[in-house]
């Protein structure tokens, strides 16, 4: 009997090789989308810290690429379901890919939203929480990166670790929230900029949440079990 | 049968759903070759149970042990307990002819007798003396054909030969023929493997209709079919029962690697 | 030249030509040309074209030569001097032939010795002529074939066409033989019907084929009503024999296919089939010496006047002989009923014998009927048993203890012994043979039709 709790070994090839190729292409698409989304987050944060309005505009424009990949992934997944009638692990993989691509598209939208706020923040004075944000963004990006790797490699363990890291992002958010609130109370001139920054932090926090959602999908695809059950079990132990 | 098996039988009777048929530690041999290894399984009244697995895995052999059709093969030998409503089907008190009237069977290739459609249906009831008059027989023929969804197609030509029907109609005729003796269990051995997709769909629909009235066990090579028609699925491999569970679970999340490999097309 | 020697020479030459052709064509291939056909095919092609037409001509010549030689002999001065009386002239001619051939050194008739050299000369003359014709055909065929062989020539296709010709020829021989038999029967029968009214022959109930040599002898006008004979044939072959053979044959077939263990079947079936291999003459004396007396004794015990040659004795033994025919046909057709029918019936809760009675037997019936019809036609054509055990009296009776006679017995009676070949008595044999032939032909055709219909039953 296969132990559910450790991730399954990479499965042997299908008798029908073309089926493997379809699944590989689907994973490659998700991987490419993920890479693009990570890049978008990093770029938007770089533009934010370096006040690079031009760069930010490019980030906004590049979001269309992610949308296009999302469309391609959806098509490929539906075609695979129609032509290969995937079962069990394969079916979970294909459905996960379908859902993950939507979520990654959302992540791309958050990166775009961050980039949009760069213009408003161009003239803002340097305020302290801005120094926390790159670190928060780094963790969120890492989560996205790791969870998509976990999907490609059917690695339930990594997915679990990613989900556990969401707490760190939430903690960052709470701390940034409190700091910004203090700033606003100290000086009402800061309210405009601080609100913008608060949104950025919120976006990063949402990215973390989405990465966690993906982790749940990856966990189900790889093991057939629910991550919530697993976390609950681990917590009670 | 020894005492321990009867004891377990008593234990399971306490469970909420009483199985219609129950096999326990069944082994089947053809001469020296073991075709079925220690299979235990329960078949329920209101469920369709599908047996899947690669060719030669023993699923058809096992199906045929359930109504003792293997008795017709001289070299076949069956060990272990098989019960129908708690009665041992191999017990001396169990008449094999009566058993087969209670556990009907539909075969891979439609096998209507080269008689008229009417006579095909009337064959079983006549043998078992289920009717005393022509009008009773007419009623049985009509209701069996209706239940098999064939009545409207053949009501005007009951005198024509059953072999003149199309493949799908022949198979529904065979199902009607099995229904006519009012069985409790219907075993189907790859009933659609010789049929086109539309005829197959009609048989599958018929299986849905019949569920609840009869316990149904179906052997199929077509996993999609197992997924479509059954509530419970048993996966056989090399004579072993590898996995047995709810169909939904087997097809989305099998617990056994061998099941997973088979249903996702990674077998062999 | 003897035609046989000519044939041998042609064969050797054709083989040599074939061999050289093969070598030549192989040489072409070594020379780098792409051949359409393997060299062997070229060789065979040359052989067929050179040998077959020549040999066929020789064969035809061999048939014609006898007549030509005879004509030449008769046309010679010595031949002109022969007496006109046919029998004597034929005797002298055949003696001359024997002396000329060297089988006989001197003749009974003085003329024959004079005729012998003429005969020998004529034979030699026509022999050379035949050989010449054959050699010409050989050369023509050889040249034709040799000219065609070459790298691009499709010898393989040509040989294939020859194969078809040979196969068609082989099957034609069988067909023409049958046709010849029918024609000769028909010819003699027409002669018979010139002497005896066909209606009387076909519907008359009196059979006593005694024609007197002198017109004033008693019973001068023979009676040729064949009804008693055909009745006897049917009574023995189609009724008594079948009463024995059908149940026994069918039941043994059912036992062998349905009940017998494979090992038992492997033993019993060949043993049963040995019955078909027993020479009919053995059945004949078994019937005459063992069964017939037993039946006579039985008849006596029962108070029925029984003849020592009875329809029953012949019919019983014939029935035994026919069992393998019925059982093996029934066996085949029962075995041809798909196992699925059997399973389908058993799965409905039918017992084995219910299944056999209601499903398998009806499904196999056309095949079984076909087998029975073939067995009947075999039985009514059967001769030896009835000759020895059925008797000669042409009785129109349904009493199985009485002696009856059959068509085949009467044919034997009419044609054995010294007979004239133009009397109504001997010609009657041909008429009987023709009618019997048509009856068995019709039975066979009908049986084949039944069997063919049955083949489509499950598909």
């Amino acid at each position: 009997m296969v132990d559910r709790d450790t991730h399954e070994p990479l499965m042997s090839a299908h008798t029908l090789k073309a089926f493997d190729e379809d699944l590989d292409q689907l994973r490659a698409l998700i991987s490419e989308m993920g890479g693009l989304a990570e890049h978008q987050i990093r770029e938007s944060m770089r533009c934010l810290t370096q006040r690079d309005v031009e760069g930010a505009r490019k980030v906004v424009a590049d979001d269309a690429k992610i949308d296009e990949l999302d469309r391609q992934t959806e098509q490929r997944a539906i075609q695979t379901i129609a032509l290969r009638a995937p079962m069990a692990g394969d079916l979970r993989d294909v459905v996960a890919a379908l859902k993950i691509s939507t979520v990654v598209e959302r992540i791309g939208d958050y990166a775009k939203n961050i980039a949009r706020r760069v213009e408003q923040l161009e003239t803002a004075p340097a305020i302290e929480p801005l120094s926390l944000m790159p670190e928060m963004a780094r963790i969120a990006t890492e989560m996205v990166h790791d969870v998509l790797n976990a999907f490609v490699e059917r690695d339930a363990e990594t997915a679990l670790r990613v989900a556990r890291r969401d707490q760190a992002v939430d903690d960052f958010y709470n701390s940034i929230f409190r700091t910004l609130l203090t700033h606003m109370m100290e000086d009402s001139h800061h309210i405009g900029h601080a609100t913008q920054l608060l949104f950025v932090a919120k976006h990063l926090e949402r990215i973390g949440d989405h990465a966690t959602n993906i982790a749940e999908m990856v966990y189900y695809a790889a093991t057939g079990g629910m991550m919530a059950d697993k976390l609950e079990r681990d917590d009670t132990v | 049968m020894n005492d321990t098996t009867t004891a377990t039988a008593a234990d399971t009777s306490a469970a909420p759903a009483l199985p219609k048929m129950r096999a326990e530690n069944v082994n089947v041999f053809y001469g020296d070759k073991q075709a079925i290894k220690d299979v235990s399984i329960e078949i329920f009244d209101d469920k369709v149970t599908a047996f899947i697995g690669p060719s030669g895995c023993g699923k058809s052999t096992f199906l045929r042990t359930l109504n003792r059709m293997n008795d017709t093969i001289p070299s076949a030998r069956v060990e272990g307990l098989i019960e129908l409503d708690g009665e041992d089907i191999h017990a001396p008190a169990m008449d094999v002819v009566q058993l087969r009237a209670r556990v009907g069977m539909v075969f891979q290739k439609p096998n209507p007798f080269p008689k008229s459609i009417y006579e095909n249906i009337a064959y079983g009831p006549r043998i078992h003396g289920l009717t005393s008059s022509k009008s009773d027989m007419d009623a049985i023929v009509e209701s069996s054909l209706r239940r098999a969804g064939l009545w409207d197609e053949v009501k005007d030509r009951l005198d024509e030969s059953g072999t003149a029907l199309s493949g799908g109609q022949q198979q529904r005729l065979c199902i009607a023929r099995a229904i006519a003796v009012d069985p409790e269990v219907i075993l189907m051995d790859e009933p659609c493997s010789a049929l086109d997709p539309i005829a197959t769909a009609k048989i599958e629909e018929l299986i849905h209709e019949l569920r609840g009235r009869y316990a149904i066990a179906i052997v199929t090579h077509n996993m999609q079919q197992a997924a479509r028609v059954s509530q419970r699925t048993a996966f056989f491999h090399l004579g072993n029962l590898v996995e047995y569970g709810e169909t939904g679970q087997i097809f989305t999340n099998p617990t056994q690697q061998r099941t997973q490999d088979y249903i996702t097309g990674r077998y062999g | 030249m003897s035609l046989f020697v000519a044939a041998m020479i042609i064969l050797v030459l054709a083989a040599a030509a074939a061999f050289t052709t093969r070598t030549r064509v192989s040489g072409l291939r070594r020379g780098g040309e792409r051949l359409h056909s393997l060299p062997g095919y070229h060789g065979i092609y040359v052989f067929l074209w050179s040998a077959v037409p020549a040999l066929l001509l020789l064969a035809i010549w061999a048939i014609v030569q006898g007549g030509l030689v005879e004509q030449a002999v008769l046309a010679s001065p010595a031949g002109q001097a022969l007496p006109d009386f046919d029998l004597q002239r034929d005797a002298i001619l055949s003696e001359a032939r024997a002396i000329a051939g060297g089988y006989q050194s001197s003749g009974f008739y003085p003329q024959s010795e004079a005729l012998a050299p003429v005969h020998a000369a004529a034979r030699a003359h026509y022999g050379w002529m035949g050989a010449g014709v054959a050699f010409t055909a050989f050369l023509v065929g050889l040249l034709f074939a040799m000219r065609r062989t070459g790298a691009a020539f499709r010898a393989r296709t040509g040989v294939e066409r020859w194969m078809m010709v040979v196969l068609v020829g082989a099957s034609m021989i069988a067909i023409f033989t049958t046709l010849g038999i029918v024609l000769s029967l028909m010819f003699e029968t027409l002669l018979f019907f010139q002497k005896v009214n066909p209606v009387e022959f076909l519907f008359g109930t009196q059979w006593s084929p005694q024609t007197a040599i002198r017109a004033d002898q008693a019973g001068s006008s023979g009676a040729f009503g064949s009804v008693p004979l055909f009745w006897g044939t049917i009574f023995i072959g189609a009724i008594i024999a079948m009463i024995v053979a059908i149940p026994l044959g069918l039941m043994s077939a059912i036992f062998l296919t349905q009940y017998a263990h494979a090992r038992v079947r492997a033993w019993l079936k060949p043993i049963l089939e040995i019955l078909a291999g027993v020479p009919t003459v053995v059945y004949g004396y078994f019937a005459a010496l063992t069964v017939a007396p037993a039946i006579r004794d039985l008849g006596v015990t029962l108070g029925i006047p029984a003849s020592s040659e009875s329809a029953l004795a012949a019919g019983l033994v014939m029935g035994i002989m026919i069992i393998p025919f019925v059982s093996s046909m029934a066996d085949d057709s029962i075995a041809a009923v798909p196992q699925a029918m059997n399973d389908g019936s058993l799965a409905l809760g039918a017992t084995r014998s219910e299944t056999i009675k209601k499903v398998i037997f009806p499904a196999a019936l056309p095949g079984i009927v076909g087998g029975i019809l073939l067995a009947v036609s075999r039985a009514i054509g059967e001769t030896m048993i009835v000759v020895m055990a059925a008797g000669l009296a042409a009785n129109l009776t349904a009493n199985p203890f009485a002696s009856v006679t059959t068509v085949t017995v009467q044919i034997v009676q009419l044609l054995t012994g010294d007979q004239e070949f133009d009397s109504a008595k001997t010609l009657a044999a041909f008429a009987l043979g023709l009618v019997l032939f048509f009856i068995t032909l019709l039975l066979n055709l009908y049986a084949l039709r039944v069997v063919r219909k049955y083949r489509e039953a499950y598909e």
Side-chain angles (χ1 to χ4, degrees), chain C residues 324-368:
Chain C
F325 289 81
V326 176
S327 80
S328 78
M329 276 297 280
D331 192 319
D332 288 349
S333 58
I334 288 173
V337 174
Q339 179 67 23
M341 296 290 143
N342 199 14
D343 286 354
S345 173
L346 292 179
L348 285 170
T351 63
R352 182 102 53 103
S353 73
E354 283 167 344
T355 301
I356 290 165
K357 197 168 65 196
K358 296 194 171 165
V359 174
I360 296 190
F361 192 76
L365 193 61
I368 292 170

Side-chain angles (χ1 to χ4, degrees), chain C residues 235-237 240-242 244 310-320 385-386 389:
Chain C
F235 190 42
I236 293 177
I240 300 177
M242 288 305 135
V244 176
S310 61
L312 192 56
L316 282 180
V317 175
M318 198 185 285
I320 301 285
I385 295 174
V386 280

Side-chain angles (χ1 to χ4, degrees), chain A residues 96-157:
Chain A
L98 197 58
K99 289 166 76 179
I100 288 171
S101 106
T102 313
V103 177
V104 174
E105 194 269 333
R106 291 289 305 147
I107 291 175
D109 287 348
Y110 286 123
K112 183 177 75 180
N113 287 346
I114 292 172
R116 279 208 180 119
R117 301 187 192 279
V118 170
E119 221 168 325
Q120 273 103 30
L121 287 166
E122 197 188 0
T123 54
I127 40 178
E128 194 257 12
L130 213 47
S131 57
L132 275 179
M133 253 182 238
E135 180 59 12
M136 182 182 180
R138 194 187 58 78
I139 295 175
T141 317
E142 228 176 58
M143 283 172 71
V144 172
H145 176 85
D146 289 353
V147 82
L148 291 178
N149 267 355
F151 171 69
V152 172
E153 280 161 21
R154 305 179 54 86
D155 182 350
E157 271 307 300

Side-chain angles (χ1 to χ4, degrees), chain B residues 64 67 69 72 74 97 100-101 103-105 107 111-115 123-124 127-128 163 177-178 181, chain C residues 261 339-352 354-356 358-359 362-363 457-459:
Chain B
R64 291 170 69 95
N67 68 345
M69 280 302 281
T72 60
V97 167
R100 288 181 192 149
V103 183
M105 190 159 197
F107 296 86
N111 59 346
F113 302 132
K115 301 170 182 284
Y123 182 79
I127 280 175
H128 298 291
T163 53
R177 187 175 71 184
V181 294
Chain C
H261 194 275
Q339 179 67 23
M341 296 290 143
N342 199 14
D343 286 354
S345 173
L346 292 179
L348 285 170
T351 63
R352 182 102 53 103
E354 283 167 344
T355 301
I356 290 165
K358 296 194 171 165
V359 174
Y458 316 107
E459 297 308 323

Side-chain angles (χ1 to χ4, degrees), chain A residues 1-2 4 8 11-15 19 85 87-92 220 223-225, chain B residues 223-224 227 249-257 259-261 263-268:
Chain A
M1 180 149 178
V2 175
R4 276 243 173 89
E8 290 175 33
M11 277 194 262
S12 57
H14 284 95
T15 311
F19 193 174
M87 287 283 191
D90 295 336
L91 180 62
R92 300 197 306 260
Y220 177 69
T223 66
Chain B
M223 282 177 288
Q224 304 295 333
Q249 176 252 319
I250 296 274
F251 283 97
T252 58
N253 191 15
T255 60
Q256 302 294 307
Q257 185 67 42
T259 317
Q260 160 95 8
D261 285 352
I263 63 177
T264 58
R266 290 181 170 84
Y267 176 78

